[in-house]
C-alpha cells in the first residue's frame, strides 16, 4: 500500500492518503523511526485549526494521533481589545452549528444499515461557539442587496426574523479554536512555528524496505510520517503544489479595502448591506449598535486612493457609494419601474420594504487596509479563493470540514484505512457539487455587475426584481448559503 492525493483537480481540499501519487515525485525506500500520525493538518489558520478541533472531538478518533502544523506563533487573546479588528468573517448558520456545543453522537450498532450508520455518525460540532458568544459577535437578520445603476434590489430575510448569519472577528474565532484545541491536547498535538518544507510520497506498490506513509520534512530538518495529509495552508498551498493538484484560478485585478466604521447614530444594526457599484461591490456588515465593518472591492488605483485619503474624504466617499444615484439614468429607471409593475401584476406577493442604509460618521484610525482579490478552486484558501461579495470564503472551508469529518468518522468506525479513496472520493463529490456551483455563481455575479452598459443593467434589473418577487426562490438561495 502506498500514498496518493485523494482530491482531483476539482477536489475540495488537498488531501493525501494512501496509494500512488498523481504526479512523479521523490521516493524514499528506507523507513526511519519517525513518529507516525494518523492525520496531519498542514496550516493552522481558521479552517486548519477547526479541522484539527473537529477530529479531536470526534468519538471515533479517540485512539488516533492528530498533528496540526502552524507556521506562526500561538495567538493568545488574554483580553478582548476595546477596538474591533478590521478582519471579520460572515459565519453562516451551518458554520455556527459546526462550531457549536459538542454532543455525544449516537453510537452505531452493528445491525444498522449504511444509511442509519451515516445518520448516527453525523458530526455535531465541537464547542467553540460558546467561547465566541462569551466574547463578541453580531447577528444579522436581513440582507439588502441593490444595484447602483437602477432601483432594483433584493431583500433576504426570514418570516420569523431568525438569524441569517453572524459577523465575527477572525481573532475571536481563532481564540475560541485555540481554547478548544487546548482541551483536547491529549488527542491533538499542535506544533507552532513549524511548517512543512518537503513531502515524500511512498511507492505506488508495497516494498519490504519502504514505508506506506507520507513523509513530511519540517523546517528544522526533522521528519515525521502520516497516513492522511490535509492541506489547509493558504491559496499558495505547499501541499497542493507538492502533490501536483491542478487548480483553476485568476485574479480579478481588484483590491478589497476593509475598515471599521462608526455610524452616525446607534441603531439595531442587524442588517447586512451590499451595493453593486460599476467598480465593484461595497458591503457594510454590523458589529455593534454603533459600529460596522466595511468591505469595498474596487480597482487597485481606487483602493490605493481610498486608503490614502484623509478621514473626512474617506467617510464622504463611503456615504456617497451607498447613497448616490449618480450612476442612474432616466431610461433605466423608467424601464425598471415598468418591469416592477409587470411583476406585481403577474405575481402579487408581499415584498419586504426597501430600507435605507445607515450613514457613517467616522472611521477607526489605522483600520483601513487593502488586499488583492482573485478566484481559485482546487481547506481554507488551499482549495478555494473566492470574491468576498458572497461572504462565503470561510464558510466553504467549514463546510468542507463537516463533510470530511463525516466521511473519516464513518471510515474510522468501520475500521477502514483513513487514506482510502473509497470514502475520500465520496467527500470530494459531496463538496464539488456545492463549491463549484457557489464559485461559478459568485464569479458570474461579479462580472455581471462590473459594467454600466444599458442592456446589461436592464437584464440584471429584471433578474433582481423577479428573484425578489419569488419567495420560494429566495428561500432556496438562503438555504444554499446557510450550509
Amino acid at each position: 500500500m502506498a500514498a496518493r492525493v485523494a482530491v482531483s483537480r476539482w477536489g475540495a481540499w488537498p488531501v493525501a492518503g494512501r496509494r500512488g501519487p498523481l504526479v512523479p515525485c521523490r521516493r524514499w525506500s528506507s523507513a526511519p523511526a519517525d513518529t507516525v500520525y494518523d492525520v496531519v493538518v498542514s496550516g493552522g489558520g481558521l479552517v486548519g485549526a477547526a479541522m484539527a478541533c473537529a477530529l479531536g472531538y470526534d468519538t471515533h478518533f479517540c485512539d488516533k494521533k492528530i498533528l496540526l502544523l502552524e507556521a506562526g506563533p500561538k495567538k493568545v487573546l488574554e483580553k478582548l481589545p476595546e477596538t474591533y479588528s478590521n478582519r471579520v468573517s460572515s459565519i453562516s448558520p451551518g458554520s455556527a452549528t459546526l462550531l457549536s456545543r459538542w454532543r455525544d453522537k449516537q453510537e452505531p450498532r452493528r445491525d444498522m444499515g449504511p444509511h442509519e450508520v451515516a445518520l448516527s455518525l453525523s458530526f455535531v460540532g465541537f464547542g467553540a461557539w460558546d467561547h465566541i458568544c462569551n466574547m463578541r459577535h453580531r447577528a444579522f437578520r436581513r440582507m439588502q442587496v441593490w444595484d447602483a445603476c437602477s432601483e432594483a434590489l433584493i431583500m433576504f430575510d426570514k418570516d420569523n426574523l431568525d438569524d441569517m448569519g453572524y459577523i465575527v472577528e477572525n481573532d475571536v474565532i481563532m481564540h475560541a479554536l485555540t481554547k478548544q484545541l487546548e482541551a483536547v491536547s491529549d488527542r491533538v498535538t499542535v506544533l507552532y512555528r513549524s511548517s512543512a518544507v518537503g513531502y515524500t510520497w511512498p511507492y505506488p506498490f508495497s516494498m519490504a524496505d519502504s514505508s506506506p506513509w507520507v513523509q513530511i520534512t519540517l523546517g528544522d530538518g526533522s521528519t515525521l510520517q502520516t497516513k492522511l495529509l490535509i492541506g489547509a495552508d493558504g491559496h499558495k498551498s505547499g501541499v497542493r503544489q507538492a502533490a501536483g493538484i491542478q487548480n483553476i484560478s485568476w485574479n480579478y485585478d481588484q483590491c478589497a479595502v476593509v475598515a471599521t466604521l462608526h455610524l452616525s447614530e446607534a441603531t439595531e444594526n442587524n442588517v447586512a448591506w451590499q451595493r453593486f457599484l460599476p467598480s465593484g461591490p461595497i458591503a457594510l456588515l454590523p458589529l455593534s449598535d454603533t459600529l460596522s465593518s466595511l468591505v469595498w472591492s474596487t480597482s487597485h488605483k481606487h483602493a490605493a486612493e481610498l486608503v490614502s485619503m484623509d478621514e473626512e474624504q474617506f467617510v464622504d466617499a463611503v456615504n456617497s457609494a451607498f447613497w448616490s444615484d449618480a450612476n442612474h439614468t432616466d431610461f433605466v429607471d423608467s424601464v425598471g419601474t415598468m418591469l416592477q409593475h409587470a411583476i406585481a401584476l403577474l405575481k402579487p406577493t408581499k415584498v419586504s420594504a426597501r430600507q435605507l442604509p445607515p450613514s457613517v460618521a467616522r472611521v477607526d484610525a489605522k483600520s483601513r487596509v487593502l488586499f488583492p482579490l482573485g478566484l481559485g478552486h482546487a481547506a481554507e484558501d488551499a482549495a478555494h479563493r473566492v470574491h468576498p461579495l458572497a461572504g462565503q470564503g470561510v464558510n466553504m472551508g467549514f463546510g468542507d470540514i463537516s463533510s470530511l469529518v463525516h466521511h473519516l468518522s464513518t471510515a474510522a468506525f468501520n475500521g477502514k484505512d483513513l487514506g482510502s479513496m473509497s470514502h475520500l472520493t465520496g467527500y470530494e463529490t459531496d463538496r464539488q457539487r456545492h463549491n463549484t456551483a457557489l464559485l461559478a455563481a459568485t464569479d458570474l455575479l461579479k462580472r455581471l455587475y462590473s459594467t454600466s452598459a444599458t442592456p446589461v443593467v436592464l437584464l440584471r434589473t429584471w433578474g433582481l426584481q423577479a428573484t425578489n418577487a419569488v419567495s420560494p426562490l429566495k428561500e432556496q438561495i438562503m438555504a444554499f448559503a446557510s450550509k
Side-chain angles (χ1 to χ4, degrees):
M1 302 292 291
R4 130 169 230 183
V5 176
V7 178
S8 70
R9 64 179 180 274
W10 290 106
W13 279 34
V15 182
R18 294 172 62 179
R19 293 199 192 150
L22 293 180
V23 293
C25 51
R26 293 186 299 118
R27 310 289 187 189
W28 60 292
S29 57
S30 60
D34 295 332
T35 301
V36 177
Y37 291 91
D38 293 285
V39 180
V40 170
V41 181
S42 181
L46 296 183
V47 177
M51 182 74 230
C53 262
L55 293 174
Y57 279 88
D58 189 272
T59 305
H60 303 109
F61 269 71
C62 59
D63 60 343
K64 307 296 184 185
K65 293 180 64 175
I66 304 160
L67 175 67
L68 175 63
L69 295 175
E70 166 53 30
K74 183 177 181 178
K75 296 179 180 178
V76 179
L77 195 64
E78 296 180 354
K79 182 181 178 181
L80 198 62
E82 292 184 8
T83 58
Y84 281 72
S85 169
N86 58 6
R87 298 304 301 270
V88 302
S89 292
S90 175
I91 302 299
S92 69
S95 295
T97 298
L98 170 72
L99 297 169
S100 65
R101 177 172 293 281
W102 177 79
R103 304 186 307 274
D104 286 326
K105 293 180 286 189
Q106 176 190 350
E107 188 65 25
R109 301 186 308 274
R110 293 294 177 180
D111 61 344
M112 284 183 174
H115 180 66
E116 293 174 301
V117 170
L119 288 175
S120 69
L121 288 171
S122 296
F123 185 68
V124 290
F126 48 82
W129 193 249
D130 284 348
H131 296 297
I132 292 172
C133 292
N134 289 333
M135 288 182 282
R136 62 188 177 204
H137 71 292
R138 188 72 172 190
F140 60 92
R141 295 175 177 174
R142 286 187 175 183
M143 183 173 183
Q144 180 171 298
V145 181
W146 73 109
D147 193 339
C149 296
S150 74
E151 294 292 335
L153 67 80
I154 187 169
M155 176 74 81
F156 294 102
D157 57 11
K158 297 182 180 180
D159 291 336
N160 54 4
L161 289 181
D162 283 346
D163 297 340
M164 287 187 62
Y166 310 90
I167 306 302
V168 190
E169 296 157 273
N170 290 353
D171 289 344
V172 170
I173 301 174
M174 196 69 242
H175 173 74
L177 294 173
T178 300
K179 295 288 287 185
Q180 291 305 98
L181 282 171
E182 290 172 350
V184 286
S185 57
D186 57 327
R187 299 189 193 183
V188 182
T189 301
V190 184
L191 293 182
Y192 294 101
R193 300 183 186 276
S194 298
S195 59
V197 296
Y199 304 93
T200 305
W201 314 111
Y203 285 94
F205 46 84
S206 296
M207 295 183 64
D209 60 345
S210 67
S211 168
W213 316 125
V214 179
Q215 185 188 47
I216 303 172
T217 303
L218 302 182
D220 61 2
S222 62
T223 59
L224 54 92
Q225 298 178 50
T226 184
K227 301 174 185 178
L228 181 67
L229 172 62
I230 299 175
D233 47 348
H235 72 275
K236 295 181 179 179
S237 171
V239 174
R240 187 186 69 230
Q241 293 173 12
I245 298 175
Q246 300 296 314
N247 73 313
I248 295 176
S249 64
W250 53 81
N251 290 321
Y252 281 126
D253 196 28
Q254 282 191 325
C255 284
V257 175
V258 298
T260 303
L261 305 179
H262 292 255
L263 306 182
S264 297
E265 59 183 0
T267 69
E268 285 187 80
N269 205 15
N270 58 7
V271 180
W273 310 90
Q274 182 165 262
R275 193 183 196 195
F276 282 98
L277 306 171
S279 59
I282 181 172
L284 197 62
L285 309 174
L287 293 175
S288 71
D289 288 351
T290 58
L291 294 171
S292 287
S293 182
L294 173 76
V295 183
W296 189 346
S297 303
T298 186
S299 67
H300 294 290
K301 180 181 178 181
H302 187 216
E305 292 172 353
L306 290 171
V307 171
S308 62
M309 286 178 181
D310 63 38
E311 181 178 354
E312 184 176 352
Q313 287 179 311
F314 180 75
V315 168
D316 288 343
V318 171
N319 285 326
S320 177
F322 279 108
W323 290 79
S324 174
D325 291 336
N327 293 300
H328 283 221
T329 65
D330 292 339
F331 175 71
V332 169
D333 286 346
S334 297
V335 173
T337 300
M338 293 170 58
L339 288 172
Q340 187 63 50
H341 288 322
I343 291 171
L345 288 173
L346 291 171
K347 186 176 177 60
T349 183
K350 180 183 177 182
V351 177
S352 300
R354 175 191 291 269
Q355 291 185 263
L356 298 177
S359 63
V360 176
R362 61 188 181 90
V363 58
D364 259 0
K366 299 181 179 180
S367 71
R368 274 183 285 170
V369 296
L370 59 83
F371 56 89
L373 301 177
L375 179 142
H377 179 59
E380 202 161 0
D381 285 346
H384 329 293
R385 189 182 180 205
V386 63
H387 198 287
L389 70 87
Q392 291 296 309
V394 74
N395 293 312
M396 293 173 72
F398 287 155
D400 290 347
I401 292 172
S402 294
S403 176
L404 184 55
V405 172
H406 165 73
H407 286 281
L408 292 178
S409 184
T410 303
F413 171 74
N414 291 322
K416 293 183 178 180
D417 175 10
L418 295 180
S420 170
M421 294 292 287
S422 62
H423 53 270
L424 291 178
T425 51
Y427 149 75
E428 179 185 15
T429 301
D430 175 32
R431 294 308 294 168
Q432 184 182 96
R433 291 170 180 166
H434 181 274
N435 292 336
T436 53
L438 182 56
L439 286 165
T442 301
D443 186 59
L444 176 62
L445 282 174
K446 189 271 171 191
R447 297 179 187 280
L448 185 63
Y449 281 91
S450 294
T451 178
S452 55
T454 299
V456 180
V457 173
L458 290 175
L459 174 65
R460 69 196 191 205
T461 295
W462 177 84
L464 207 59
Q465 289 177 338
T467 303
N468 194 45
V470 182
S471 297
L473 179 56
K474 288 203 297 183
E475 290 171 3
Q476 288 295 318
I477 294 172
M478 286 189 288
F480 184 82
S482 296
K483 293 181 179 177

